Amino acid sequence: MGMLLSMIARNVKNDLRIAVKTIGATALVMAFFIVYGQLTGDPGFFSIAWTLFSYLVPFVILFQFPGIYFGIALSMGTTRRAAFIGLQVLKVVVAFLCSLLVALGIVCNNLLSSMPAAFSVEGLLTMFGYGLLAASVGDFFGFFSYRIGGKLGMVFLVAVCAICGGIFGGTIGVMGADGMLPIIQIFTMPLWVFLLAVVVSCVLSGLSYWLFVRRYAVR
Amino acid sequence: MSENCLVCRQVTKSYGNKEVLKGVDLTIEPGHIYGLIGRNGVGKTTLLSIMTGQNRAGSGEITYNGQPVWENETALSALCFSRELSPTILFGQNTLKAKEYLKSAACFYPNWDASYADFLIKEFGIDKNKKICKMNKGMMSLVTITIALASGAPITILDEPVSGLDVYMRDRFYALLLEEYARSNRTFILSTHIIEEAANVLEEIIILNDGVVRLKENTQDLIDSCLYVNGLDEVVDRAVSGYERLNTEQMGRNKMVCIRLKPGQSFPTEQYRGELTVSAVPLQKIFVYLTRQAGEENGYASFNDRA
């Protein structure tokens, strides 16, 4: 048991080191979304959507890299379960810390600014849930692109982003504000339903990830 | 008996319809330098990756210290398989800089010796800021050697460690390997095609052929057991009758036969003094003779032999 915990800790450390490498890229993405959101000038839903994107996309990017470099861990004497559990632990920790940072930002804003922002424990949990969800998408994408291979993997990721973006943009383009209804409903659903959905999604994504890696032969 | 031993029992592995390993039985004992040799595509890398839990066997059992290796944290912590880096792969470790790859190694190997790694990097002239995919083959080999030697793993496996290295660096590597071996008494397994050079380093030779371990023997004993017997056709035939023949080469009325002595057997060299020439067989030639497939007994096919 002690050996497993030590190996999990080594995986968390290595994954974190790899994830931190992408901090520049994720900061750039965040900046892009925030600036773009501000430039579009719509004070309503779109600014919320862009803010959400600026929070979610970095998680996807951040956790894509430990997935891409999964093979290195296995080639250096770690077990599949330790690598898998390590990544799951890191996802929970990073999602929690990020939501905590956002919360701290809001608290600071409320203390210093004359325009207090709304803040609640529910909001904190929602941020945590979104972070976890996006991180799961990230590590799954990362490992999937690793399995497919370098250039093909990149093409795969670009294709997924293009399809998702196309569906998102196309729906809004065709249906206008009505197209956003399903997304708006996510914001209005009860917290427990949302968190349950997050847990189910994470378990399913984790399970599929595990099915990929449990017998994976290192190349 | 099995303390700190890495044991393979009846290990098989197939890729599609191709059966690569057909029941490998092998015991790696602590405190030796082993050489795993075999022809291209015989399954050396597959066997090594199975032995280190990086690939799953079709059937059979691999144990370290009596415990299965697969998904066993204790066993895997004692093993290091420094894989050959390929310049054609553009994902995984190849996209990393050398320093990042080494940082991962430092993170995962519990006995990692950072100061030794720094010494090796300096000694080999590795540019730590260079991406692995941008390195030449020799430099890639030096990175894998650095990881293997600095890992401190009780059983360390190097896959083709000298491929792409020039003569000087190969010599340097063998010297460093022996130095580390003398210092730590770790077990090393080297998979290599440059057999003659490595013969002075390898204590035991393991020949993998046709999906099984064809031979596992002390290198010097193996070299001592093989002899070239050269002389007139009829004298050679008379002299080598009763011995295992590995190869026969006919040159006019002369014949050169490679024989292999069984344990306890000896060749009466003195009896044939003046009639026959008896000489040692290079390890590389022994390997060639022992790994010939059906139809290759009469030597290499020639373009002139075509129908």
Side-chain angles (χ1 to χ4, degrees), chain A residues 3-4 10-11 14 17 69 72 75-76 79-81 146 215 217-218, chain B residues 53-56 71 73 77 83 91-92 95-96 101 104 107-109:
Chain A
M3 210 64 190
L4 174 64
R10 288 204 290 269
N11 274 283
N14 189 58
R17 199 178 53 74
Y69 295 120
I72 294 178
S75 75
M76 290 181 172
T79 54
R80 283 151 184 78
R81 66 169 164 248
Y146 175 66
R215 294 170 74 95
V218 181
Chain B
Q54 295 186 17
N55 198 350
R56 204 171 166 86
E71 288 294 273
E73 285 81 17
S77 293
R83 301 180 75 92
F91 60 87
T95 60
L96 293 176
Y101 191 40
S104 284
C107 193
F108 285 118
Y109 292 115

PDB file of all heavy atoms in Angstrom, chain A residues 3-4 10-11 14 17 69 72 75-76 79-81 146 215 217-218, chain B residues 53-56 71 73 77 83 91-92 95-96 101 104 107-109:
ATOM      1  N   MET A   3       3.877   1.506  -1.034  1.00  0.00           N
ATOM      2  CA  MET A   3       4.562   1.599  -2.334  1.00  0.00           C
ATOM      3  C   MET A   3       3.625   2.214  -3.379  1.00  0.00           C
ATOM      4  O   MET A   3       4.056   3.021  -4.198  1.00  0.00           O
ATOM      5  CB  MET A   3       4.971   0.182  -2.756  1.00  0.00           C
ATOM      6  CG  MET A   3       6.186   0.112  -3.581  1.00  0.00           C
ATOM      7  SD  MET A   3       7.618   0.692  -2.686  1.00  0.00           S
ATOM      8  CE  MET A   3       8.772   0.753  -4.019  1.00  0.00           C
ATOM      9  N   LEU A   4       2.344   1.808  -3.324  1.00  0.00           N
ATOM     10  CA  LEU A   4       1.358   2.342  -4.275  1.00  0.00           C
ATOM     11  C   LEU A   4       1.189   3.844  -4.051  1.00  0.00           C
ATOM     12  O   LEU A   4       1.206   4.638  -5.005  1.00  0.00           O
ATOM     13  CB  LEU A   4       0.016   1.617  -4.119  1.00  0.00           C
ATOM     14  CG  LEU A   4      -1.145   2.164  -4.956  1.00  0.00           C
ATOM     15  CD1 LEU A   4      -0.874   2.006  -6.443  1.00  0.00           C
ATOM     16  CD2 LEU A   4      -2.458   1.480  -4.601  1.00  0.00           C
ATOM     17  N   ARG A  10       4.478  10.151  -6.923  1.00  0.00           N
ATOM     18  CA  ARG A  10       5.469  10.443  -7.972  1.00  0.00           C
ATOM     19  C   ARG A  10       4.772  10.814  -9.280  1.00  0.00           C
ATOM     20  O   ARG A  10       5.214  11.684 -10.021  1.00  0.00           O
ATOM     21  CB  ARG A  10       6.392   9.236  -8.179  1.00  0.00           C
ATOM     22  CG  ARG A  10       7.370   9.024  -7.042  1.00  0.00           C
ATOM     23  CD  ARG A  10       8.577   8.249  -7.514  1.00  0.00           C
ATOM     24  NE  ARG A  10       8.289   6.862  -7.828  1.00  0.00           N
ATOM     25  CZ  ARG A  10       8.375   5.858  -6.954  1.00  0.00           C
ATOM     26  NH1 ARG A  10       8.742   6.090  -5.729  1.00  0.00           N
ATOM     27  NH2 ARG A  10       8.107   4.627  -7.329  1.00  0.00           N
ATOM     28  N   ASN A  11       3.628  10.126  -9.540  1.00  0.00           N
ATOM     29  CA  ASN A  11       2.869  10.431 -10.759  1.00  0.00           C
ATOM     30  C   ASN A  11       2.235  11.812 -10.685  1.00  0.00           C
ATOM     31  O   ASN A  11       2.231  12.551 -11.667  1.00  0.00           O
ATOM     32  CB  ASN A  11       1.794   9.364 -10.994  1.00  0.00           C
ATOM     33  CG  ASN A  11       2.347   8.182 -11.752  1.00  0.00           C
ATOM     34  OD1 ASN A  11       2.538   8.245 -12.961  1.00  0.00           O
ATOM     35  ND2 ASN A  11       2.653   7.115 -11.041  1.00  0.00           N
ATOM     36  N   ASN A  14       4.931  14.362 -11.287  1.00  0.00           N
ATOM     37  CA  ASN A  14       5.354  14.443 -12.689  1.00  0.00           C
ATOM     38  C   ASN A  14       4.266  15.071 -13.566  1.00  0.00           C
ATOM     39  O   ASN A  14       4.547  15.916 -14.416  1.00  0.00           O
ATOM     40  CB  ASN A  14       5.702  13.042 -13.206  1.00  0.00           C
ATOM     41  CG  ASN A  14       6.343  13.086 -14.574  1.00  0.00           C
ATOM     42  OD1 ASN A  14       7.376  13.716 -14.760  1.00  0.00           O
ATOM     43  ND2 ASN A  14       5.722  12.467 -15.554  1.00  0.00           N
ATOM     44  N   ARG A  17       4.154  18.722 -13.025  1.00  0.00           N
ATOM     45  CA  ARG A  17       5.295  19.369 -13.692  1.00  0.00           C
ATOM     46  C   ARG A  17       5.004  19.541 -15.187  1.00  0.00           C
ATOM     47  O   ARG A  17       5.270  20.595 -15.773  1.00  0.00           O
ATOM     48  CB  ARG A  17       6.538  18.485 -13.494  1.00  0.00           C
ATOM     49  CG  ARG A  17       7.860  19.171 -13.696  1.00  0.00           C
ATOM     50  CD  ARG A  17       8.994  18.218 -13.423  1.00  0.00           C
ATOM     51  NE  ARG A  17       8.894  16.978 -14.177  1.00  0.00           N
ATOM     52  CZ  ARG A  17       9.146  16.880 -15.478  1.00  0.00           C
ATOM     53  NH1 ARG A  17       9.534  17.923 -16.147  1.00  0.00           N
ATOM     54  NH2 ARG A  17       9.006  15.737 -16.105  1.00  0.00           N
ATOM     55  N   TYR A  69       1.640  12.404 -22.404  1.00  0.00           N
ATOM     56  CA  TYR A  69       2.905  11.830 -21.922  1.00  0.00           C
ATOM     57  C   TYR A  69       2.706  10.629 -20.987  1.00  0.00           C
ATOM     58  O   TYR A  69       3.600  10.264 -20.238  1.00  0.00           O
ATOM     59  CB  TYR A  69       3.732  12.920 -21.224  1.00  0.00           C
ATOM     60  CG  TYR A  69       4.158  14.008 -22.174  1.00  0.00           C
ATOM     61  CD1 TYR A  69       3.792  15.325 -21.999  1.00  0.00           C
ATOM     62  CD2 TYR A  69       4.931  13.690 -23.287  1.00  0.00           C
ATOM     63  CE1 TYR A  69       4.174  16.314 -22.891  1.00  0.00           C
ATOM     64  CE2 TYR A  69       5.320  14.663 -24.192  1.00  0.00           C
ATOM     65  CZ  TYR A  69       4.932  15.970 -23.976  1.00  0.00           C
ATOM     66  OH  TYR A  69       5.319  16.925 -24.878  1.00  0.00           O
ATOM     67  N   ILE A  72       5.323   7.822 -20.976  1.00  0.00           N
ATOM     68  CA  ILE A  72       6.613   8.029 -20.301  1.00  0.00           C
ATOM     69  C   ILE A  72       6.554   7.448 -18.893  1.00  0.00           C
ATOM     70  O   ILE A  72       7.471   6.753 -18.449  1.00  0.00           O
ATOM     71  CB  ILE A  72       6.977   9.532 -20.251  1.00  0.00           C
ATOM     72  CG1 ILE A  72       7.212  10.035 -21.668  1.00  0.00           C
ATOM     73  CG2 ILE A  72       8.207   9.767 -19.390  1.00  0.00           C
ATOM     74  CD1 ILE A  72       7.540  11.502 -21.757  1.00  0.00           C
ATOM     75  N   SER A  75       6.784   3.787 -19.039  1.00  0.00           N
ATOM     76  CA  SER A  75       8.098   3.286 -19.465  1.00  0.00           C
ATOM     77  C   SER A  75       9.137   3.473 -18.364  1.00  0.00           C
ATOM     78  O   SER A  75      10.255   2.982 -18.479  1.00  0.00           O
ATOM     79  CB  SER A  75       8.554   3.982 -20.751  1.00  0.00           C
ATOM     80  OG  SER A  75       8.973   5.301 -20.460  1.00  0.00           O
ATOM     81  N   MET A  76       8.771   4.193 -17.318  1.00  0.00           N
ATOM     82  CA  MET A  76       9.731   4.426 -16.237  1.00  0.00           C
ATOM     83  C   MET A  76       9.311   3.726 -14.952  1.00  0.00           C
ATOM     84  O   MET A  76       9.487   4.237 -13.845  1.00  0.00           O
ATOM     85  CB  MET A  76       9.924   5.926 -16.018  1.00  0.00           C
ATOM     86  CG  MET A  76      10.674   6.552 -17.179  1.00  0.00           C
ATOM     87  SD  MET A  76      10.959   8.276 -16.954  1.00  0.00           S
ATOM     88  CE  MET A  76      12.036   8.630 -18.348  1.00  0.00           C
ATOM     89  N   THR A  79       3.148   1.726 -12.335  1.00  0.00           N
ATOM     90  CA  THR A  79       2.053   0.825 -12.717  1.00  0.00           C
ATOM     91  C   THR A  79       0.947   1.645 -13.385  1.00  0.00           C
ATOM     92  O   THR A  79       0.860   2.861 -13.188  1.00  0.00           O
ATOM     93  CB  THR A  79       1.455   0.107 -11.489  1.00  0.00           C
ATOM     94  OG1 THR A  79       1.072   1.090 -10.538  1.00  0.00           O
ATOM     95  CG2 THR A  79       2.457  -0.838 -10.861  1.00  0.00           C
ATOM     96  N   ARG A  80       0.119   0.967 -14.131  1.00  0.00           N
ATOM     97  CA  ARG A  80      -0.983   1.655 -14.806  1.00  0.00           C
ATOM     98  C   ARG A  80      -1.942   2.256 -13.788  1.00  0.00           C
ATOM     99  O   ARG A  80      -2.425   3.369 -13.960  1.00  0.00           O
ATOM    100  CB  ARG A  80      -1.711   0.680 -15.735  1.00  0.00           C
ATOM    101  CG  ARG A  80      -0.947   0.436 -17.016  1.00  0.00           C
ATOM    102  CD  ARG A  80      -1.207  -0.931 -17.597  1.00  0.00           C
ATOM    103  NE  ARG A  80      -0.371  -1.153 -18.774  1.00  0.00           N
ATOM    104  CZ  ARG A  80       0.925  -1.468 -18.707  1.00  0.00           C
ATOM    105  NH1 ARG A  80       1.511  -1.615 -17.542  1.00  0.00           N
ATOM    106  NH2 ARG A  80       1.641  -1.628 -19.799  1.00  0.00           N
ATOM    107  N   ARG A  81      -2.201   1.492 -12.724  1.00  0.00           N
ATOM    108  CA  ARG A  81      -3.172   2.010 -11.740  1.00  0.00           C
ATOM    109  C   ARG A  81      -2.618   3.239 -11.020  1.00  0.00           C
ATOM    110  O   ARG A  81      -3.353   4.192 -10.767  1.00  0.00           O
ATOM    111  CB  ARG A  81      -3.642   0.935 -10.770  1.00  0.00           C
ATOM    112  CG  ARG A  81      -2.611   0.401  -9.857  1.00  0.00           C
ATOM    113  CD  ARG A  81      -3.180  -0.451  -8.747  1.00  0.00           C
ATOM    114  NE  ARG A  81      -2.058  -1.202  -8.186  1.00  0.00           N
ATOM    115  CZ  ARG A  81      -1.920  -2.507  -8.296  1.00  0.00           C
ATOM    116  NH1 ARG A  81      -2.827  -3.212  -8.907  1.00  0.00           N
ATOM    117  NH2 ARG A  81      -0.875  -3.112  -7.781  1.00  0.00           N
ATOM    118  N   TYR A 146      -2.527  10.556 -28.040  1.00  0.00           N
ATOM    119  CA  TYR A 146      -1.282   9.791 -27.896  1.00  0.00           C
ATOM    120  C   TYR A 146      -1.430   8.423 -28.552  1.00  0.00           C
ATOM    121  O   TYR A 146      -0.530   7.936 -29.241  1.00  0.00           O
ATOM    122  CB  TYR A 146      -0.952   9.637 -26.408  1.00  0.00           C
ATOM    123  CG  TYR A 146       0.247   8.765 -26.145  1.00  0.00           C
ATOM    124  CD1 TYR A 146       1.514   9.154 -26.546  1.00  0.00           C
ATOM    125  CD2 TYR A 146       0.113   7.528 -25.524  1.00  0.00           C
ATOM    126  CE1 TYR A 146       2.617   8.350 -26.324  1.00  0.00           C
ATOM    127  CE2 TYR A 146       1.207   6.718 -25.288  1.00  0.00           C
ATOM    128  CZ  TYR A 146       2.456   7.132 -25.690  1.00  0.00           C
ATOM    129  OH  TYR A 146       3.542   6.325 -25.483  1.00  0.00           O
ATOM    130  N   ARG A 215      -4.334  -2.182 -20.256  1.00  0.00           N
ATOM    131  CA  ARG A 215      -3.500  -3.200 -20.891  1.00  0.00           C
ATOM    132  C   ARG A 215      -2.586  -2.574 -21.939  1.00  0.00           C
ATOM    133  O   ARG A 215      -2.081  -3.263 -22.818  1.00  0.00           O
ATOM    134  CB  ARG A 215      -4.384  -4.259 -21.558  1.00  0.00           C
ATOM    135  CG  ARG A 215      -5.197  -5.065 -20.572  1.00  0.00           C
ATOM    136  CD  ARG A 215      -6.214  -5.909 -21.294  1.00  0.00           C
ATOM    137  NE  ARG A 215      -5.569  -7.028 -21.946  1.00  0.00           N
ATOM    138  CZ  ARG A 215      -5.456  -8.240 -21.410  1.00  0.00           C
ATOM    139  NH1 ARG A 215      -5.963  -8.490 -20.243  1.00  0.00           N
ATOM    140  NH2 ARG A 215      -4.860  -9.218 -22.044  1.00  0.00           N
ATOM    141  N   ALA A 217       0.247  -1.308 -24.142  1.00  0.00           N
ATOM    142  CA  ALA A 217       1.653  -1.699 -24.338  1.00  0.00           C
ATOM    143  C   ALA A 217       2.461  -0.453 -24.682  1.00  0.00           C
ATOM    144  O   ALA A 217       2.138   0.254 -25.640  1.00  0.00           O
ATOM    145  CB  ALA A 217       1.747  -2.715 -25.458  1.00  0.00           C
ATOM    146  N   VAL A 218       3.482  -0.196 -23.892  1.00  0.00           N
ATOM    147  CA  VAL A 218       4.301   1.009 -24.100  1.00  0.00           C
ATOM    148  C   VAL A 218       5.045   0.885 -25.428  1.00  0.00           C
ATOM    149  O   VAL A 218       5.602  -0.158 -25.740  1.00  0.00           O
ATOM    150  CB  VAL A 218       5.309   1.182 -22.943  1.00  0.00           C
ATOM    151  CG1 VAL A 218       6.138   2.437 -23.133  1.00  0.00           C
ATOM    152  CG2 VAL A 218       4.576   1.216 -21.625  1.00  0.00           C
TER     153      VAL A 218
ATOM    154  N   GLY B  53       6.992  -5.293 -17.301  1.00  0.00           N
ATOM    155  CA  GLY B  53       5.592  -4.910 -17.113  1.00  0.00           C
ATOM    156  C   GLY B  53       5.109  -3.808 -18.031  1.00  0.00           C
ATOM    157  O   GLY B  53       4.074  -3.193 -17.782  1.00  0.00           O
ATOM    158  N   GLN B  54       5.833  -3.558 -19.103  1.00  0.00           N
ATOM    159  CA  GLN B  54       5.395  -2.505 -20.032  1.00  0.00           C
ATOM    160  C   GLN B  54       4.507  -3.065 -21.136  1.00  0.00           C
ATOM    161  O   GLN B  54       3.899  -2.331 -21.894  1.00  0.00           O
ATOM    162  CB  GLN B  54       6.618  -1.816 -20.638  1.00  0.00           C
ATOM    163  CG  GLN B  54       7.427  -1.084 -19.598  1.00  0.00           C
ATOM    164  CD  GLN B  54       8.559  -0.285 -20.178  1.00  0.00           C
ATOM    165  OE1 GLN B  54       8.595   0.004 -21.357  1.00  0.00           O
ATOM    166  NE2 GLN B  54       9.495   0.092 -19.332  1.00  0.00           N
ATOM    167  N   ASN B  55       4.487  -4.355 -21.214  1.00  0.00           N
ATOM    168  CA  ASN B  55       3.657  -5.028 -22.207  1.00  0.00           C
ATOM    169  C   ASN B  55       3.153  -6.307 -21.528  1.00  0.00           C
ATOM    170  O   ASN B  55       3.796  -6.823 -20.622  1.00  0.00           O
ATOM    171  CB  ASN B  55       4.517  -5.367 -23.432  1.00  0.00           C
ATOM    172  CG  ASN B  55       3.696  -5.661 -24.662  1.00  0.00           C
ATOM    173  OD1 ASN B  55       2.474  -5.807 -24.583  1.00  0.00           O
ATOM    174  ND2 ASN B  55       4.356  -5.746 -25.795  1.00  0.00           N
ATOM    175  N   ARG B  56       2.021  -6.771 -21.969  1.00  0.00           N
ATOM    176  CA  ARG B  56       1.438  -7.939 -21.307  1.00  0.00           C
ATOM    177  C   ARG B  56       1.767  -9.202 -22.107  1.00  0.00           C
ATOM    178  O   ARG B  56       1.690  -9.190 -23.333  1.00  0.00           O
ATOM    179  CB  ARG B  56      -0.077  -7.746 -21.217  1.00  0.00           C
ATOM    180  CG  ARG B  56      -0.717  -8.523 -20.123  1.00  0.00           C
ATOM    181  CD  ARG B  56      -2.172  -8.103 -19.985  1.00  0.00           C
ATOM    182  NE  ARG B  56      -2.888  -9.054 -19.172  1.00  0.00           N
ATOM    183  CZ  ARG B  56      -2.946  -9.004 -17.849  1.00  0.00           C
ATOM    184  NH1 ARG B  56      -2.349  -8.053 -17.214  1.00  0.00           N
ATOM    185  NH2 ARG B  56      -3.632  -9.900 -17.175  1.00  0.00           N
ATOM    186  N   GLU B  71       1.783  -4.912 -12.876  1.00  0.00           N
ATOM    187  CA  GLU B  71       1.068  -4.012 -11.962  1.00  0.00           C
ATOM    188  C   GLU B  71       1.515  -4.196 -10.502  1.00  0.00           C
ATOM    189  O   GLU B  71       0.705  -4.062  -9.580  1.00  0.00           O
ATOM    190  CB  GLU B  71      -0.444  -4.200 -12.089  1.00  0.00           C
ATOM    191  CG  GLU B  71      -1.025  -3.640 -13.388  1.00  0.00           C
ATOM    192  CD  GLU B  71      -0.921  -2.127 -13.490  1.00  0.00           C
ATOM    193  OE1 GLU B  71      -1.803  -1.422 -13.005  1.00  0.00           O
ATOM    194  OE2 GLU B  71       0.092  -1.671 -14.068  1.00  0.00           O
ATOM    195  N   GLU B  73       3.904  -2.617  -7.836  1.00  0.00           N
ATOM    196  CA  GLU B  73       4.717  -1.416  -7.568  1.00  0.00           C
ATOM    197  C   GLU B  73       6.100  -1.779  -7.026  1.00  0.00           C
ATOM    198  O   GLU B  73       7.100  -1.186  -7.425  1.00  0.00           O
ATOM    199  CB  GLU B  73       4.008  -0.491  -6.564  1.00  0.00           C
ATOM    200  CG  GLU B  73       2.828   0.290  -7.131  1.00  0.00           C
ATOM    201  CD  GLU B  73       1.557  -0.529  -7.192  1.00  0.00           C
ATOM    202  OE1 GLU B  73       1.476  -1.579  -6.515  1.00  0.00           O
ATOM    203  OE2 GLU B  73       0.626  -0.129  -7.924  1.00  0.00           O
ATOM    204  N   SER B  77       9.508  -1.014  -9.186  1.00  0.00           N
ATOM    205  CA  SER B  77      10.448  -0.019  -8.648  1.00  0.00           C
ATOM    206  C   SER B  77      11.894  -0.510  -8.725  1.00  0.00           C
ATOM    207  O   SER B  77      12.826   0.284  -8.644  1.00  0.00           O
ATOM    208  CB  SER B  77      10.107   0.292  -7.192  1.00  0.00           C
ATOM    209  OG  SER B  77       8.873   0.943  -7.145  1.00  0.00           O
ATOM    210  N   ARG B  83      14.290   2.414 -22.809  1.00  0.00           N
ATOM    211  CA  ARG B  83      13.915   2.047 -24.172  1.00  0.00           C
ATOM    212  C   ARG B  83      14.720   2.814 -25.201  1.00  0.00           C
ATOM    213  O   ARG B  83      15.105   3.962 -24.965  1.00  0.00           O
ATOM    214  CB  ARG B  83      12.427   2.339 -24.392  1.00  0.00           C
ATOM    215  CG  ARG B  83      11.526   1.604 -23.464  1.00  0.00           C
ATOM    216  CD  ARG B  83      10.109   1.945 -23.755  1.00  0.00           C
ATOM    217  NE  ARG B  83       9.661   1.290 -24.966  1.00  0.00           N
ATOM    218  CZ  ARG B  83       9.063   0.099 -24.988  1.00  0.00           C
ATOM    219  NH1 ARG B  83       8.845  -0.542 -23.883  1.00  0.00           N
ATOM    220  NH2 ARG B  83       8.688  -0.446 -26.115  1.00  0.00           N
ATOM    221  N   PHE B  91       5.932  11.667 -31.087  1.00  0.00           N
ATOM    222  CA  PHE B  91       5.043  11.897 -29.955  1.00  0.00           C
ATOM    223  C   PHE B  91       5.718  11.413 -28.679  1.00  0.00           C
ATOM    224  O   PHE B  91       6.838  10.905 -28.724  1.00  0.00           O
ATOM    225  CB  PHE B  91       3.692  11.189 -30.171  1.00  0.00           C
ATOM    226  CG  PHE B  91       3.811   9.706 -30.319  1.00  0.00           C
ATOM    227  CD1 PHE B  91       3.813   8.874 -29.223  1.00  0.00           C
ATOM    228  CD2 PHE B  91       3.942   9.150 -31.571  1.00  0.00           C
ATOM    229  CE1 PHE B  91       3.932   7.501 -29.361  1.00  0.00           C
ATOM    230  CE2 PHE B  91       4.057   7.777 -31.722  1.00  0.00           C
ATOM    231  CZ  PHE B  91       4.057   6.957 -30.627  1.00  0.00           C
ATOM    232  N   GLY B  92       5.032  11.586 -27.554  1.00  0.00           N
ATOM    233  CA  GLY B  92       5.586  11.128 -26.276  1.00  0.00           C
ATOM    234  C   GLY B  92       6.906  11.785 -25.956  1.00  0.00           C
ATOM    235  O   GLY B  92       7.088  12.989 -26.171  1.00  0.00           O
ATOM    236  N   THR B  95       8.985  14.422 -28.072  1.00  0.00           N
ATOM    237  CA  THR B  95       8.628  15.827 -28.199  1.00  0.00           C
ATOM    238  C   THR B  95       9.180  16.642 -27.022  1.00  0.00           C
ATOM    239  O   THR B  95       9.028  17.859 -26.999  1.00  0.00           O
ATOM    240  CB  THR B  95       7.093  16.006 -28.248  1.00  0.00           C
ATOM    241  OG1 THR B  95       6.568  15.475 -27.036  1.00  0.00           O
ATOM    242  CG2 THR B  95       6.485  15.282 -29.426  1.00  0.00           C
ATOM    243  N   LEU B  96       9.799  15.953 -26.089  1.00  0.00           N
ATOM    244  CA  LEU B  96      10.342  16.651 -24.906  1.00  0.00           C
ATOM    245  C   LEU B  96      11.794  17.065 -25.129  1.00  0.00           C
ATOM    246  O   LEU B  96      12.507  16.472 -25.936  1.00  0.00           O
ATOM    247  CB  LEU B  96      10.302  15.728 -23.689  1.00  0.00           C
ATOM    248  CG  LEU B  96       8.956  15.320 -23.125  1.00  0.00           C
ATOM    249  CD1 LEU B  96       9.163  14.326 -22.000  1.00  0.00           C
ATOM    250  CD2 LEU B  96       8.176  16.515 -22.627  1.00  0.00           C
ATOM    251  N   TYR B 101      12.856  15.156 -20.081  1.00  0.00           N
ATOM    252  CA  TYR B 101      12.808  13.689 -20.051  1.00  0.00           C
ATOM    253  C   TYR B 101      13.584  13.178 -18.829  1.00  0.00           C
ATOM    254  O   TYR B 101      13.130  12.276 -18.110  1.00  0.00           O
ATOM    255  CB  TYR B 101      13.418  13.154 -21.342  1.00  0.00           C
ATOM    256  CG  TYR B 101      13.220  11.670 -21.594  1.00  0.00           C
ATOM    257  CD1 TYR B 101      12.020  11.037 -21.300  1.00  0.00           C
ATOM    258  CD2 TYR B 101      14.239  10.904 -22.153  1.00  0.00           C
ATOM    259  CE1 TYR B 101      11.841   9.683 -21.545  1.00  0.00           C
ATOM    260  CE2 TYR B 101      14.065   9.545 -22.398  1.00  0.00           C
ATOM    261  CZ  TYR B 101      12.868   8.949 -22.086  1.00  0.00           C
ATOM    262  OH  TYR B 101      12.693   7.604 -22.326  1.00  0.00           O
ATOM    263  N   SER B 104      11.628  13.692 -15.649  1.00  0.00           N
ATOM    264  CA  SER B 104      10.630  12.631 -15.449  1.00  0.00           C
ATOM    265  C   SER B 104      11.297  11.402 -14.856  1.00  0.00           C
ATOM    266  O   SER B 104      10.758  10.775 -13.931  1.00  0.00           O
ATOM    267  CB  SER B 104       9.960  12.259 -16.776  1.00  0.00           C
ATOM    268  OG  SER B 104       9.032  13.239 -17.141  1.00  0.00           O
ATOM    269  N   CYS B 107      11.968  11.768 -11.333  1.00  0.00           N
ATOM    270  CA  CYS B 107      10.723  11.712 -10.566  1.00  0.00           C
ATOM    271  C   CYS B 107      10.295  10.258 -10.321  1.00  0.00           C
ATOM    272  O   CYS B 107       9.820   9.925  -9.239  1.00  0.00           O
ATOM    273  CB  CYS B 107       9.657  12.462 -11.362  1.00  0.00           C
ATOM    274  SG  CYS B 107       8.198  12.805 -10.466  1.00  0.00           S
ATOM    275  N   PHE B 108      10.485   9.411 -11.323  1.00  0.00           N
ATOM    276  CA  PHE B 108       9.939   8.053 -11.222  1.00  0.00           C
ATOM    277  C   PHE B 108      10.880   7.028 -10.608  1.00  0.00           C
ATOM    278  O   PHE B 108      10.404   6.087  -9.980  1.00  0.00           O
ATOM    279  CB  PHE B 108       9.490   7.570 -12.607  1.00  0.00           C
ATOM    280  CG  PHE B 108       8.206   8.197 -13.052  1.00  0.00           C
ATOM    281  CD1 PHE B 108       8.138   8.994 -14.185  1.00  0.00           C
ATOM    282  CD2 PHE B 108       7.044   8.008 -12.317  1.00  0.00           C
ATOM    283  CE1 PHE B 108       6.955   9.588 -14.573  1.00  0.00           C
ATOM    284  CE2 PHE B 108       5.847   8.593 -12.700  1.00  0.00           C
ATOM    285  CZ  PHE B 108       5.810   9.374 -13.829  1.00  0.00           C
ATOM    286  N   TYR B 109      12.181   7.141 -10.831  1.00  0.00           N
ATOM    287  CA  TYR B 109      13.071   6.101 -10.298  1.00  0.00           C
ATOM    288  C   TYR B 109      13.446   6.430  -8.849  1.00  0.00           C
ATOM    289  O   TYR B 109      14.097   7.449  -8.592  1.00  0.00           O
ATOM    290  CB  TYR B 109      14.325   5.961 -11.168  1.00  0.00           C
ATOM    291  CG  TYR B 109      14.013   5.398 -12.527  1.00  0.00           C
ATOM    292  CD1 TYR B 109      14.196   6.136 -13.681  1.00  0.00           C
ATOM    293  CD2 TYR B 109      13.499   4.102 -12.644  1.00  0.00           C
ATOM    294  CE1 TYR B 109      13.878   5.622 -14.933  1.00  0.00           C
ATOM    295  CE2 TYR B 109      13.177   3.584 -13.880  1.00  0.00           C
ATOM    296  CZ  TYR B 109      13.372   4.347 -15.025  1.00  0.00           C
ATOM    297  OH  TYR B 109      13.042   3.826 -16.250  1.00  0.00           O
TER     298      TYR B 109
END
